[in-house]
């Protein structure tokens, strides 16, 4: 029997894994059931005393240690069983749900996650951290992790359902994204207008669909990402590239770890960089997938996740009064794969200034040339975009950008980074400093609304 840190509360010990998955799975299930019984005896999260919070933290730490030990031995076997020996392509959300059904205790149950979904972030148990342990273990495996990465590079069912319409009409309008074919360019325009084109669950899903459609349409040779005009009082009628993750949704508990924080990186962002896997048969990627060059057009600003997108694009056009930033130090979370990708564009010193120090880079700053290819007045943005599309339409561009990706970010490097990112990001989204910051921002916004203020 072990004792929780500084609580004196006994925690039931679980035996070390035997190596036999059936025996170990049963022991894990029994251990988790006992921990859950003890958690259920505590008050609800918002009603817990400091001592209650310490007890809960000790119980969660205990069960996570047991889950890590099980996964260290059995992650590849679990993944093989969930995918029929990797014969089936199971997308991440379904994989996590199937793991809960087939291996009780390994990840939180569907009912537990549904209950979490009705709570604000600060009042959750933090069960997404347990999902992250599972995802990280799968990604850490070269065989299972590579299979999952490739699975998430497959076209989404929604995109396949819309493909015939898009090919015929050259336009699909989603809830928060417009995707349109103009000549040989596929234009993807963010239209989360009331939220400064910030990323939320709807926008992530729509972008996954839109990027698929651009990559699947044979008449399109180059993709273009641009923010549409917004309704926010401070920027009404102006184009904005992106304000990054929607922090109000994070505070309200609507930023899903599986679908958003990890699914975004495995989904549309990785597709921008690597393209789509269209043929699951073994072979060289150039024989199995389709990739296209991408242009980014930055009006006003690209903050957080918006700036992260620029790091996987092939040509970035910025309006001369725009700026970019990765406010990770301010927000307290990990800026996606910005830590992996920014350094190779800017060098280590500038990357640290941006990520650790929150440095903002204006489009006219000399250092902006490391991120933006063209900086032009607002009235020349359309021409600059068209020039970039023309330059990237050459037949050899797609093959050469693929080889650049192979050299700069091999799949195994991406996979290994994402395995660490998954666990680190899940912990950060439940860290006290992050919860305090998003709550303060929410309260400030509510006070402004009550006073009739229009500041962002």
């Amino acid at each position: 029997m072990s004792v929780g840190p500084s609580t004196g509360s006994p925690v039931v010990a679980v035996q070390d894994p035997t190596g036999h998955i059936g025996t170990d799975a049963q022991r894990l299930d029994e251990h988790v059931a006992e921990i859950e019984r003890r958690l259920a005896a505590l008050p609800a999260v918002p009603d817990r005393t400091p001592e209650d919070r310490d007890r809960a933290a000790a119980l969660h730490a205990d069960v996570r240690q047991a889950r890590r030990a099980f996964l260290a031995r059995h992650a590849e076997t679990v993944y093989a069983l969930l995918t029929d020996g990797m014969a089936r392509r199971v997308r991440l959300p379904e994989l996590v749900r199937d793991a809960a059904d087939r291996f009780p205790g390994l990840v939180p149950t569907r009912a537990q996650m549904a209950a979490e979904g009705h709570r604000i972030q600060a009042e959750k148990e933090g069960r997404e951290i347990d999902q992250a342990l599972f995802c990280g273990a799968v990604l850490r495996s070269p065989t299972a992790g590579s299979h999952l990465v490739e699975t998430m590079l497959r076209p989404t069912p929604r995109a396949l359902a819309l493909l015939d319409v898009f090919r015929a009409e050259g336009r699909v309008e989603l809830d928060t994204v417009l995707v349109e074919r103009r000549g040989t360019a596929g234009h993807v325009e963010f239209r989360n207008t009331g939220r400064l084109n910030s990323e939320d669950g709807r926008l992530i899903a729509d972008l996954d669909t839109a990027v698929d459609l651009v990559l699947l349409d044979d008449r399109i040779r180059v993709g273009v990402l641009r923010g549409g005009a917004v309704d926010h009082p401070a920027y009404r009628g102006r184009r904005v590239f992106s304000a990054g993750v929607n922090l109000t949704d994070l505070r309200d508990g609507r930023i899903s770890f599986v679908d958003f924080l990890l699914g975004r990186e495995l989904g549309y962002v990785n597709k921008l960089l690597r393209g789509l896997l269209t043929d699951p048969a073994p072979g060289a990627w150039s024989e199995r997938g389709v990739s296209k060059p991408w242009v980014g057009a930055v009006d006003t600003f690209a903050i957080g996740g918006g700036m992260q997108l620029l790091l996987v694009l092939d040509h970035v056009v910025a309006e001369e009064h725009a700026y970019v930033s990765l406010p990770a130090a301010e927000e307290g979370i990990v800026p996606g794969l910005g830590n992996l990708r920014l350094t190779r564009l800017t060098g280590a010193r500038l990357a640290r200034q941006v990520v650790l120090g929150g440095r903002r880079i204006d489009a006219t700053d000399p250092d902006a040339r490391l991120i933006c290819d063209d900086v032009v007045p607002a009235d020349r943005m359309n021409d600059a975009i068209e020039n970039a599309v023309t330059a990237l339409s050459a037949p050899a561009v797609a093959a050469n950008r693929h080889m650049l990706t192979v050299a700069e970010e091999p799949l195994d490097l991406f996979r290994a980074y994402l395995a660490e990112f998954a666990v680190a990001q899940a912990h950060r989204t439940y860290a006290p400093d992050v919860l305090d910051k998003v709550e303060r921002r929410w309260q400030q916004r509510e006070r402004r609304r009550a006073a009739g203020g229009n500041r962002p």
Side-chain angles (χ1 to χ4, degrees), residues 57-101:
L59 291 167
H60 282 301
D62 181 273
V63 78
R64 287 165 187 161
Q65 179 181 354
R67 284 167 167 156
R68 283 196 301 268
F70 178 89
L71 288 164
R73 281 187 174 270
H74 302 300
E76 290 187 350
T77 303
V78 167
Y79 187 82
L81 291 169
L82 293 175
T83 60
D84 296 341
M86 295 193 288
R88 286 194 308 124
R89 296 283 182 179
V90 183
R91 295 181 64 80
L92 181 65
E94 290 76 25
L95 183 74
V96 175
R97 288 194 289 267
D98 289 351
D101 295 340

Side-chain angles (χ1 to χ4, degrees), residues 1-2 39 59 78 126 168 260 271 294 297 311-312 338 383 410 455:
M1 181 173 293
S2 60
L39 277 171
L59 291 167
V78 167
F260 187 127
K271 291 172 181 177
W294 287 87
L311 308 181
V312 299
D383 289 341
R455 289 185 300 160

